[in-house]
Amino acid sequence: MMSLVPDHLRSEINTCPLCSQIIAAAQTPFDEEFEKLVNVQDLDSIDCKDHDDLVKHELKQTSNPKSILGIRKPQDSSRIQTSMTLISGQNDDDPEIAYFPWGFHLQQSDDNQKDAARGIIIDPERINISTLREWKDECLKSHGAECENPYPIYNFGPTSPLWLVDTKQQCIVGGQPSMTYVTLSYVWGKKDTLRCVKANLESLQQAGALSRPEFEQSIPNTIRDAMCLVSLLHERYLWVDSLCIVQDDDMAKPNELNKMATIYAKSCFTIIAADAEDSWEGLKGISQPRKIVQTVIPLGSKGTLVEELSRREMDTPYFSHQTYYRRGWCFQEHMFARRRLIFDRIVRWQCQHATWYEDMVPVPGRDEQPKPTSFVESSRLWLYRSYPCLVSYGSLIAEYSEKELTYPEDMLPAFSGILTNLSRTFSGGFLSGLPVLFFDIALCWKITGHGERRKSTNNRGSTTCAPSWSCFGWQGSTTFPDELETPFVMDQIRSSPIHTVPMTTWYAMDSPSSTNRRIVQSHWFRYKRDSQDLTIPLPIGWSRHEYKPEAPGAGYKRTEPVSYYYMHSRIPSVKFNYPLPIMEATSTPAIPSTTPFLYCRTSHAMLYADGEKVTPEDKWHIECSLRDIRGNWTGILWAHNQDDVKQFSRCPWPGQKVELVAINRSHCPNDNFNGYGLQEWFFNERPKDTPLYEFYHVLWVEWKDGVAYRKGFGRVVKEAWDRTRELSDLDLILG
């Protein structure tokens, strides 16, 4: 590796233990880790003053400084971290240093040194536009098809936005497939802004319209700055929702909302105003000065340590507390953007190959970003799959369910672009956000913690919130239970030993009294059942292979005999538990549908919720137990709202009476299984003396005017359900 240090300085550095370790850290290869401890008291005898400012800086960073200064370069990083803070409980004889997750980069004056990342002292007020232009040009020139079309399994086709902002003519123009455009993702806020409506559509198409006084004053700064930036980066057209969707066009608007994911996926890049609380704050550093404070520590002739303003571990929406990342409308925009120019304290570029920061000169070949595989990014894995994955969709819902919207009724519209594209892989599409293919399983979502019912503001007169049976009708940490047969891909770790069977047929209705009941085609169980009948031919493209459970690592014992696994010719690397529809490259997306009511005929029972929170044998936390009239334990319940749980606790023995309806039945072996996903598994009162643990999944409902509304989700032991259920089944209408 080429040295960062000129020859005439090498001997001087080697005589200083601290300076030599700083340089050694900077020279450490990107994929290797470096850490050294230096006793600062030993530096008194060294004739080197270059590191004095660094030592003074570290002394200010800790309330209890030690004489040991730690120097570290983490693996797969180029930052240099320094600290004099010991981890609590450690002593000077065996010190363990506590490092902050950020650090410094060494700035070198020799621009020919290309083998290590170098820090940049950035302008505290203005963004260097030439840097942004270089990022865009480098990505377009060098990164190829992966950045140009990161989602090749989706056939987006020649679709284009209906309208675009022409930043040269300062007006809106009709979109054409041949036009290259930039998208803007931002927080609207509550202040009034210019919006395209039927009444001003014609005026906004006139050249210079957006510069005229009657419009210019009501264009928020973020949009105005984005228009300016598009021109500075040698582009012409900008798509921004408030100006490119006719807000009161009830015919065209839903179509444009359904195309949102496609619009962002096909744009050249997306400007993301992540650090703006509303649309009037602007893009900091463009038209208005920003305020950046960057620590710079000189090392004399050896270079300069420049503070890393970007914190790579935090470069994900999962960890961010910015308003932008909490907003529902921004979720799918950020997700589908193939290239992102992010304004978030400083500016960074994200694409499929790289993440570049304005405070660092990157090292060629060391900035590649793999496709998301971590827990944080798991919800985005479906973008690369050509088969339906309910586990990934559940992760996606878990992240989106806590987002905020100014108008709660926008919960489904703000997600419609994602649903439209997912319908290519989920046969049958979605009904009020739940996948039709797995509908009776998808109904088993639950809220962990506190949830609030999303209620329509009713101030726009045309839309309502999602129904109570849809997870889109609630705000809270929503999950699909792990115990269900959601992972139909054969994964030896996650393959569920639990067998689930539908027990009713669901119908969609537009009103409680509607006679037009449309069957919900939840076919997952039929595909599974047919695969076990060797007389039924497999669907085209599928092949059956022998499964040997005695093989090492074969996984848990299953309740149903599994003799085969299945593979599809177009996905030879994946083993499936049973065949399911596989997306074709030319498949046409389905428009997401909604329905306010569901109907089925099912069994029901009255039980009691005690609200007693227990943690059996230090395993999963049980929030609420279900009991019969005699106080016998019958199952567990997750109330969607914590106020209900508190009310349960205040009720006298045996608890508050709740009405439950059954939605499917399941069982799993009572041996050779650790109860993964079943919170009650180690509960003393759970039946354990039978070969199978059998139970029903149930919904807690409350009635109003003949319609049942969902309040919670739970499990009831089969024997207890059969003993306590009402004699006659119920005509259930869920709203």
Side-chain angles (χ1 to χ4, degrees):
M1 175 182 291
M2 184 183 299
S3 173
L4 286 169
V5 188
D7 291 338
H8 69 279
L9 293 177
R10 199 180 307 266
S11 60
E12 177 186 347
I13 292 174
N14 288 338
T15 63
C16 175
L18 180 53
C19 291
S20 62
Q21 299 304 338
I22 293 289
I23 300 302
Q27 290 179 314
T28 300
F30 182 83
D31 56 355
E32 295 182 12
E33 184 176 357
F34 174 94
E35 183 174 18
K36 293 292 183 182
L37 305 182
V38 176
N39 192 323
V40 296
Q41 293 179 344
D42 295 341
L43 301 177
D44 294 339
S45 60
I46 303 298
D47 187 18
C48 176
K49 303 299 183 183
D50 289 347
H51 55 249
D52 287 354
D53 287 336
L54 174 60
V55 174
K56 292 176 182 177
H57 171 78
E58 291 302 326
L59 288 171
K60 294 178 182 179
Q61 301 304 304
T62 177
S63 59
N64 186 27
K66 301 297 181 180
S67 60
I68 301 298
L69 174 61
I71 303 167
R72 183 176 72 168
K73 187 207 78 69
Q75 187 176 8
D76 296 330
S77 172
S78 57
R79 72 170 61 92
I80 301 170
Q81 297 170 304
T82 57
S83 176
M84 298 180 73
T85 302
L86 292 184
I87 291 179
S88 177
Q90 298 294 324
N91 55 60
D92 293 335
D93 295 332
D94 185 23
E96 186 173 352
I97 304 297
Y99 297 95
F100 289 111
W102 59 91
F104 299 91
H105 287 103
L106 186 64
Q107 183 194 44
Q108 291 285 322
S109 59
D110 186 355
D111 289 338
N112 292 321
Q113 305 292 343
K114 302 293 186 181
D115 60 336
R118 290 170 291 137
I120 298 175
I121 301 175
I122 64 175
D123 189 322
E125 295 187 346
R126 298 291 176 182
I127 292 169
N128 187 340
I129 299 298
S130 64
T131 297
L132 311 190
R133 194 179 298 129
E134 290 171 3
W135 290 344
K136 187 201 78 168
D137 293 344
E138 177 64 20
C139 180
L140 294 178
K141 180 181 69 175
S142 304
H143 289 174
E146 190 168 4
C147 281
E148 190 63 27
N149 183 22
Y151 318 122
I153 65 171
Y154 294 104
N155 177 26
F156 291 121
T159 303
S160 62
L162 190 58
W163 299 101
L164 290 169
V165 174
D166 186 333
T167 62
K168 182 177 181 179
Q169 296 193 64
Q170 292 288 298
C171 63
I172 67 170
V173 296
Q176 300 294 330
S178 60
M179 290 179 172
T180 299
Y181 61 92
V182 177
T183 42
L184 174 66
S185 182
Y186 66 110
V187 177
W188 274 36
K190 297 182 178 180
K191 299 179 183 178
D192 290 336
T193 65
L194 175 64
R195 302 180 187 184
C196 180
V197 292
K198 291 178 180 179
N200 62 21
L201 176 60
E202 184 176 351
S203 298
L204 290 174
Q205 295 178 68
Q206 299 175 9
L210 298 178
S211 298
R212 294 173 186 168
E214 63 266 30
F215 292 136
E216 184 178 28
Q217 298 302 316
S218 56
I219 298 177
N221 296 329
T222 299
I223 295 178
R224 181 64 69 185
D225 288 350
M227 293 169 60
C228 175
L229 184 58
V230 166
S231 297
L232 292 173
L233 297 182
H234 299 164
E235 300 294 337
R236 179 169 179 173
Y237 299 106
L238 171 70
W239 187 90
V240 54
D241 51 7
S242 60
L243 297 179
C244 300
I245 296 179
V246 183
Q247 300 297 315
D248 58 352
D249 189 335
D250 293 336
M251 294 293 292
K253 184 176 180 179
N255 291 331
E256 292 301 285
L257 293 180
N258 290 331
K259 293 188 329 190
M260 287 275 280
T262 300
I263 288 172
Y264 279 87
K266 293 186 67 175
S267 70
C268 179
F269 62 91
T270 298
I271 300 169
I272 294 179
D275 59 351
E277 295 293 319
D278 63 34
S279 60
W280 288 97
E281 285 195 25
L283 301 175
K284 298 177 178 65
I286 300 297
S287 64
Q288 299 179 11
R290 60 183 179 180
K291 296 179 181 179
I292 296 292
V293 178
Q294 185 179 27
T295 301
V296 177
I297 302 176
L299 288 177
S301 58
K302 304 173 184 65
T304 303
L305 286 176
V306 181
E307 180 189 11
E308 176 190 50
L309 295 172
S310 54
R311 304 177 185 180
R312 289 196 173 188
E313 287 86 351
M314 297 303 193
D315 285 350
T316 169
Y318 186 87
F319 289 116
S320 179
H321 298 290
Q322 300 280 25
T323 297
Y324 172 88
Y325 294 114
R326 299 199 306 268
R327 303 302 295 174
W329 279 105
C330 300
F331 184 77
Q332 66 179 349
E333 300 169 3
H334 185 279
M335 178 172 292
F336 268 94
R338 56 179 170 179
R339 303 181 184 95
R340 306 179 185 118
L341 185 59
I342 304 173
F343 288 73
D344 190 356
R345 191 185 183 195
I346 64 170
V347 181
R348 67 182 184 272
W349 174 276
Q350 278 185 352
C351 62
Q352 308 304 309
H353 271 277
T355 301
W356 293 320
Y357 307 83
E358 63 171 319
D359 63 345
M360 185 181 74
V361 178
V363 184
R366 293 181 182 174
D367 51 18
E368 292 189 0
Q369 304 291 312
K371 289 183 173 67
T373 56
S374 67
F375 168 78
V376 170
E377 296 294 324
S378 63
S379 63
R380 291 160 174 78
L381 285 174
W382 58 266
L383 290 171
Y384 308 98
R385 288 176 171 161
S386 57
Y387 56 87
C389 180
L390 193 55
V391 172
S392 293
Y393 184 67
S395 298
L396 194 69
I397 294 301
E399 190 172 348
Y400 181 66
S401 62
E402 297 190 80
K403 301 301 180 185
E404 302 168 358
L405 294 115
T406 303
Y407 302 105
E409 57 266 32
D410 285 346
M411 189 65 180
L412 273 168
F415 202 75
S416 61
I418 291 177
L419 293 178
T420 298
N421 282 280
L422 271 181
S423 70
R424 301 171 187 265
T425 53
F426 282 81
S427 176
F430 294 82
L431 184 62
S432 294
L434 299 186
V436 171
L437 178 63
F438 300 102
F439 193 76
D440 45 9
I441 288 182
L443 279 172
C444 292
W445 57 268
K446 62 185 177 183
I447 294 178
T448 56
H450 181 68
E452 290 283 350
R453 184 78 169 94
R454 295 184 189 268
K455 298 180 180 179
S456 174
T457 56
N458 286 326
N459 63 352
R460 293 188 292 178
S462 60
T463 57
T464 57
C465 285
S468 70
W469 51 264
S470 169
C471 53
F472 286 80
W474 296 79
Q475 181 177 5
S477 180
T478 302
T479 61
F480 288 170
D482 289 323
E483 77 273 8
L484 297 178
E485 294 184 271
T486 52
F488 71 91
V489 174
M490 180 169 285
D491 181 331
Q492 292 177 351
I493 298 176
R494 294 290 302 276
S495 290
S496 174
I498 299 175
H499 182 64
T500 302
V501 178
M503 57 174 293
T504 188
T505 300
W506 293 95
Y507 298 85
M509 300 190 303
D510 295 325
S511 70
S513 59
S514 175
T515 57
N516 180 20
R517 295 174 178 173
R518 306 177 299 277
I519 190 169
V520 181
Q521 305 283 354
S522 181
H523 289 326
W524 70 273
F525 186 74
R526 189 195 74 188
Y527 289 119
K528 176 184 177 182
R529 182 191 57 206
D530 288 354
S531 71
Q532 297 171 349
D533 185 344
L534 302 186
T535 66
I536 299 177
L538 292 175
I540 296 175
W542 287 95
S543 58
R544 183 182 283 115
H545 305 268
E546 186 177 0
Y547 174 71
K548 298 180 179 179
E550 70 277 4
Y556 299 121
K557 175 182 177 181
R558 298 175 62 92
T559 56
E560 301 299 315
V562 179
S563 302
Y564 303 96
Y565 64 87
Y566 301 83
M567 299 182 68
H568 195 276
S569 58
R570 288 201 285 110
I571 318 175
S573 61
V574 181
K575 298 178 181 179
F576 296 86
N577 289 324
Y578 53 92
L580 277 174
I582 300 298
M583 184 186 81
E584 297 292 339
T586 57
S587 61
T588 302
I591 302 301
S593 60
T594 59
T595 187
F597 300 98
L598 291 176
Y599 168 82
C600 77
R601 187 164 180 81
T602 188
S603 59
H604 63 122
M606 306 297 294
L607 291 173
Y608 296 84
D610 65 8
E612 179 183 355
K613 298 183 179 181
V614 294
T615 307
E617 298 186 15
D618 296 324
K619 298 294 181 180
W620 293 286
H621 172 74
I622 294 178
E623 186 171 77
C624 179
S625 285
L626 292 169
R627 301 186 182 278
D628 62 19
I629 188 62
R630 296 180 178 85
N632 298 313
W633 183 85
T634 60
I636 61 175
L637 177 70
W638 289 268
H640 296 336
N641 188 291
Q642 286 296 301
D643 292 339
D644 290 324
V645 177
K646 295 176 183 177
Q647 178 63 32
F648 295 163
S649 301
R650 290 191 289 265
C651 288
W653 183 93
Q656 179 173 315
K657 197 172 186 179
V658 294
E659 182 168 3
L660 306 169
V661 295
I663 55 176
N664 61 49
R665 55 187 174 88
S666 298
H667 58 263
C668 62
N670 251 324
D671 61 339
N672 193 31
F673 175 47
N674 67 2
Y676 180 81
L678 297 175
Q679 280 82 344
E680 73 276 22
W681 187 255
F682 296 97
F683 199 72
N684 290 333
E685 297 176 274
R686 185 188 70 80
K688 304 180 180 67
D689 56 355
T690 56
L692 297 178
Y693 172 42
E694 300 179 88
F695 52 88
Y696 286 89
H697 286 114
V698 299
L699 301 182
W700 170 34
V701 298
E702 286 188 345
W703 294 82
K704 182 179 180 181
D705 299 328
V707 177
Y709 294 91
R710 176 172 172 154
K711 299 272 290 181
F713 166 80
R715 281 189 291 270
V716 176
V717 176
K718 180 180 182 300
E719 186 275 332
W721 184 263
D722 293 341
R723 185 181 69 249
T724 60
R725 59 172 287 184
E726 300 294 330
L727 294 179
S728 60
D729 285 349
L730 173 74
D731 286 315
L732 175 68
I733 298 176
L734 273 178

